[in-house]
Structures are given as C-alpha cells and as structure tokens.
Amino acid sequence: MTHRTYSLLTGVIFLLIAALHCARAVLGWSAVVNGINIPMWMSWIAMFFFAFLSFIGFWLSRKAS
C-alpha cells in the first residue's frame, strides 16, 4: 500500500466517523456505553476532531502525489 493510498483511506474512514458523530448530534441519537449515557456535547467535540483528522489525511494524500 502506498503512502498516498493509506492517507486517502484514513481520510475517508475519519470522514465517516465524523459524519456519524454529526448525525448523532443533529438527530439526537442516544449513546450508552457500559450503562453510562454519553452527553451530546461529546459528539460535537468528536465530530470536529475526526473532521480535522480527515482533513489531514486528504491533505497528506494530495501532498504524496
């Protein structure tokens, strides 16, 4: 696997994770882990974090070309 392919793949995976966190925050889906309710504000923070990681992945894949 080349550096470009790896960076592109991680960018896509992180984008999907960010989209799921955004969907949870917007649609109001509940998340319970081991009986503990996860607050909605955590999904907003996670969405921005994973969107940033996705951006870095896409940026590195373009840079590796």
Side-chain angles (χ1 to χ4, degrees):
M1 181 179 292
T2 65
H3 178 60
R4 182 181 189 277
T5 306
Y6 177 77
S7 298
L8 186 63
L9 182 63
T10 57
V12 169
I13 290 170
F14 285 138
L15 183 63
L16 290 174
I17 295 170
L20 286 173
H21 276 288
C22 182
R24 177 189 182 249
V26 170
L27 299 175
W29 295 342
S30 65
V32 179
V33 176
N34 201 20
I36 299 171
N37 192 15
I38 307 300
M40 201 62 66
W41 60 267
M42 283 186 138
S43 276
W44 288 110
I45 292 172
M47 181 195 65
F48 287 114
F49 175 74
F50 285 110
F52 174 74
L53 290 178
S54 176
F55 170 77
I56 295 297
F58 289 127
W59 179 70
L60 286 174
S61 72
R62 286 186 53 111
K63 190 175 178 181
S65 297

